[in-house]
Amino acid sequence: MWQLRETARSVLADDGGAILDERTGRWTHLTPTAAAAVMLLLSGTTEDQAAEQYAIRYGISVEHAAADVRTVADALAVRGLAVNEPRSPGCPRWWGRWR
């Protein structure tokens, strides 16, 4: 499941957004399309479902949308702002930090 790290705070809107890394105090600014990708990923859908919704929203192919969504997800992961880790059913969110 894709999610922002607990130390990341987001401000997202249709006209763009930003994510604050509380560990460093640095902001990552997002374009409107990147903010849309993050909102779709955070909505709890799978990455494939987020790409389908993104494709519909912007009138592009699902393949192109999947590449765009993956690019945003990877860029935020590289900056340490997001993770894509499967969790076991019934496993509390905080448990991942102690494994």
Side-chain angles (χ1 to χ4, degrees):
M1 178 169 122
W2 192 91
Q3 61 189 15
L4 291 176
R5 290 199 180 269
E6 290 186 16
T7 57
R9 300 291 175 252
S10 64
V11 178
L12 304 169
D14 288 337
D15 59 346
I19 300 173
L20 172 64
D21 184 343
E22 292 181 331
R23 296 172 301 158
T24 64
R26 299 188 80 165
W27 286 92
T28 297
H29 296 277
L30 305 172
T31 64
T33 53
V38 171
M39 284 189 272
L40 291 169
L41 288 164
L42 290 175
S43 69
T45 62
T46 66
E47 193 170 304
D48 290 337
Q49 291 169 331
E52 289 172 11
Q53 293 172 358
Y54 188 91
I56 292 167
R57 180 176 184 155
Y58 292 104
I60 60 176
S61 71
V62 174
E63 294 79 18
H64 186 161
D68 288 356
V69 169
R70 168 63 27 215
T71 297
V72 171
D74 288 347
L76 294 176
V78 166
R79 290 177 184 249
L81 297 172
V83 293
N84 188 11
E85 296 178 359
R87 284 191 289 163
S88 303
C91 181
R93 184 176 185 186
W94 56 267
W95 182 252
R97 294 188 308 227
W98 298 101
R99 285 191 274 168

